[in-house]
Amino acid sequence: GFNSLQLAYEIHRPSYLKVEPFVSMKKINELNKDSLIQIIETFWDVEELNLMPQDEVHFHFELTDNDVISGPKKTISKKLIAKIPSIEDLYTNTEILEDNFIEDLAYELNKINELKEEWKNLELETIKSSELTWEQKESIKNTIEKVKSELKNLEAISKEIESVSEQAKKHELFTPDLLNKLNELSELVSQIMPEDMLKNMTDLDNAMKNMNMESLNNAINQLAENMDQIKEDLDRYLKVFKKLQAEQKMDELKNRIEKLLKQQTSLSEEVNQLSQDIEPSLSERLKQEEKRILEELNNIKSILSEASKLTKPFSEETSKNLEELEMSTITEQSESNINKTMENLLNQNIKQAQNTSNKSKDFLQMMKQEVNNIYKQFQQETIDEMSKKFQALMQDILYLSSEQEKLKSDV
């Protein structure tokens, strides 16, 4: 039989906090001591552990028997690790998925371009021939199979985009507008095959069977045009997504600076309630929370740099403003006052800690306002650009309409 079952665990804080793991044990009372084979279900409420993003819980089970003759023996399970994801982790995972399908999309663009050239070469060959050789027939069949394979690959890419959208929606990483754009892009990729492409492949197959060279040449020509259309669409979708990435990074920046300000505001309120004879354990906890805020501020500085690079092809002004904010006095003072708050808490200088904590909050508020201004400016530039393109399109339509009227009048 058994004597006891325990859950042994360690709470590992992020390495930048430089604190030792908290170690503890929890007894599992649901153990049936007389049953050798059993399934145990127990509930572990981890809320009391006060876990924070980036914390890890390392745990294992220890089962002790009740051997009174040779002495109790202990069996230890393998170690398991549960990690509380940070907002940084969630955005990074989403970016990895996006980078994967961008790479796949770029690869497919090259493959489609190769297939387009294959169809054009086949067209040149068949025009010169009165009938197909065995090699030409095999070449056409192989090319058709390649086309079908690439279309399947594009369907898979569409599903990759869907998975990014689902993850972003689950964790509320993007605005509804950005999610809609992602879903639209997924749908466009899934429907990229031209409507007449299947008919053209069927016509090609029939022409090969009937050895009708004129029909065969027409079908090959149509398929070459189909591939050219797919290539143009893929190229356009890649450009659209790169713009979408810039919008996402701006949205992430806005979201994370807002969350950071809320954290600092809450912490400042707690620090303002402190008395001079504070317990060292409390000041240490508050210092650790301030350290987490500093770490996130450093992450946001990196995002400013990334956003500057991503927005540059679409808005030089946005890119320049983001770069300036990263190097600004506002950002530098936010960081400086957080560091001073940690030092004051460490030295039990409560009045000074309250002062620098409030300054941190004020500078982060200014930083948030700057980010909001840049975000709005980037959005407005996007709207203005779309408006210009629409006006240009309408002018082209009006021009074509007037030319058609002239042709009618001439006739």
Side-chain angles (χ1 to χ4, degrees):
F2 301 110
N3 182 45
S4 68
L5 176 62
Q6 296 187 100
L7 173 68
Y9 64 92
E10 298 176 2
I11 299 175
H12 291 247
R13 308 296 183 186
S15 58
Y16 59 79
L17 292 179
K18 297 178 181 178
V19 293
E20 291 296 318
F22 172 77
V23 181
S24 187
M25 300 279 283
K26 172 184 170 61
K27 187 176 180 181
I28 297 176
N29 296 317
E30 289 83 357
L31 173 70
N32 184 339
K33 295 181 180 182
D34 299 320
S35 176
L36 292 178
I37 300 174
Q38 57 186 292
I39 296 174
I40 299 171
E41 293 184 1
T42 186
F43 178 72
W44 185 18
D45 185 5
V46 296
E47 189 172 349
E48 60 190 21
L49 302 180
N50 296 316
L51 297 173
M52 300 283 286
Q54 293 184 292
D55 286 348
E56 290 183 356
V57 181
H58 296 219
F59 63 98
H60 65 266
F61 298 94
E62 297 183 3
L63 179 63
T64 308
D65 65 22
N66 60 0
D67 188 347
V68 294
I69 299 172
S70 57
K73 292 178 286 295
K74 184 188 291 184
T75 301
I76 299 175
S77 73
K78 69 176 183 179
K79 181 171 71 174
L80 301 169
I81 299 175
K83 183 177 180 181
I84 311 299
S86 66
I87 191 169
E88 172 82 5
D89 295 329
L90 296 173
Y91 276 113
T92 299
N93 290 340
T94 303
E95 284 180 13
I96 289 170
L97 290 172
E98 288 183 339
D99 289 342
N100 286 343
F101 78 67
I102 285 177
E103 189 177 318
D104 291 344
L105 208 55
Y107 176 79
E108 290 306 315
L109 183 58
N110 288 331
K111 297 297 289 183
I112 293 293
N113 194 42
E114 289 173 10
L115 283 170
K116 182 191 77 171
E117 294 304 317
E118 282 189 37
W119 283 121
K120 286 186 176 178
N121 291 334
L122 282 169
E123 185 181 6
L124 290 173
E125 283 184 31
T126 53
I127 285 174
K128 301 172 188 174
S129 307
S130 57
E131 63 179 38
L132 288 178
T133 65
W134 181 86
E135 288 81 4
Q136 286 173 327
K137 286 182 181 179
E138 289 301 303
S139 182
I140 290 171
K141 287 177 183 177
N142 288 337
T143 306
I144 288 174
E145 289 305 311
K146 287 179 186 177
V147 170
K148 291 177 180 177
S149 175
E150 295 310 317
L151 290 174
K152 283 183 180 177
N153 291 342
L154 290 172
E155 283 181 24
I157 291 173
S158 172
K159 287 183 170 58
E160 286 180 46
I161 302 174
E162 279 180 25
S163 70
V164 170
S165 179
E166 286 168 6
Q167 178 160 317
K169 184 178 180 180
K170 177 182 176 182
H171 299 295
E172 298 180 346
L173 299 180
F174 302 147
T175 61
D177 180 52
L178 279 174
L179 287 173
N180 286 337
K181 288 178 181 178
L182 262 180
N183 290 331
E184 285 170 11
L185 186 62
S186 172
E187 193 172 339
L188 285 170
V189 173
S190 70
Q191 297 176 356
I192 198 167
M193 185 172 70
E195 290 181 7
D196 62 344
M197 192 166 183
L198 283 176
K199 177 182 177 298
N200 293 333
M201 284 195 281
T202 302
D203 289 346
L204 179 58
D205 189 50
N206 291 334
M208 285 175 65
K209 288 175 182 175
N210 300 325
M211 290 300 289
N212 186 325
M213 294 304 292
E214 184 179 354
S215 297
L216 186 128
N217 287 329
N218 286 336
I220 290 177
N221 177 266
Q222 288 298 313
L223 282 167
E225 289 182 9
N226 289 152
M227 299 311 291
D228 199 40
Q229 183 182 334
I230 291 175
K231 175 184 172 294
E232 287 178 7
D233 287 344
L234 279 180
D235 192 44
R236 189 169 71 253
Y237 298 162
L238 262 177
K239 289 174 183 175
V240 166
F241 191 76
K242 284 175 182 175
K243 174 67 183 298
L244 194 55
Q245 272 193 312
E247 290 181 44
Q248 286 175 3
K249 189 57 70 173
M250 288 299 298
D251 194 62
E252 178 188 349
L253 178 62
K254 180 173 174 287
N255 186 19
R256 289 176 71 167
I257 191 67
E258 285 174 357
K259 288 182 185 297
L260 187 65
L261 177 60
K262 284 179 183 177
Q263 290 170 8
Q264 182 60 56
T265 301
S266 177
L267 188 57
S268 294
E269 288 172 358
E270 195 169 352
V271 171
N272 286 335
Q273 299 298 318
L274 297 177
S275 59
Q276 195 62 45
D277 56 346
I278 179 178
E279 286 289 329
S281 60
L282 177 56
S283 64
E284 176 61 26
R285 178 179 68 78
L286 294 174
K287 182 174 79 71
Q288 286 184 19
E289 289 188 31
E290 200 71 78
K291 182 73 173 173
R292 289 178 189 269
I293 288 173
L294 179 63
E295 182 70 12
E296 177 62 0
L297 177 59
N298 287 328
N299 291 335
I300 286 172
K301 286 168 67 177
S302 297
I303 295 168
L304 283 166
S305 176
E306 292 168 23
S308 176
K309 291 171 186 172
L310 285 170
T311 55
K312 192 169 186 178
F314 312 104
S315 171
E316 288 278 353
E317 188 177 355
T318 299
S319 177
K320 179 171 171 287
N321 289 340
L322 289 166
E323 189 177 345
E324 287 176 354
L325 179 57
E326 183 190 357
M327 309 301 294
S328 70
T329 303
I330 294 173
T331 305
E332 187 273 325
Q333 283 297 315
S334 297
E335 185 175 351
S336 173
N337 279 285
I338 290 171
N339 276 312
K340 287 176 182 176
T341 303
M342 288 191 295
E343 185 179 347
N344 288 326
L345 286 168
L346 178 66
N347 297 324
Q348 303 281 309
N349 297 327
I350 304 306
K351 287 292 182 186
Q352 291 93 323
Q354 290 168 342
N355 182 39
T356 52
S357 181
N358 288 328
K359 282 184 178 179
S360 300
K361 181 190 68 175
D362 293 340
F363 278 109
L364 286 174
Q365 175 65 53
M366 286 187 270
M367 196 172 171
K368 172 182 170 287
Q369 188 57 53
E370 286 294 318
V371 168
N372 283 345
N373 292 341
I374 298 170
Y375 181 84
K376 287 176 184 175
Q377 169 218 326
F378 184 64
Q379 280 192 319
Q380 188 58 50
E381 284 189 15
T382 301
I383 293 168
D384 291 345
E385 181 190 357
M386 288 175 66
S387 178
K388 285 177 184 176
K389 285 183 178 179
F390 180 74
Q391 288 174 2
L393 180 63
M394 290 303 297
Q395 286 174 356
D396 289 343
I397 291 170
L398 290 172
Y399 172 76
L400 288 171
S401 178
S402 65
E403 288 297 306
Q404 285 176 342
E405 290 298 321
K406 285 180 183 177
L407 285 171
K408 287 179 182 178
S409 62
D410 290 342
V411 172

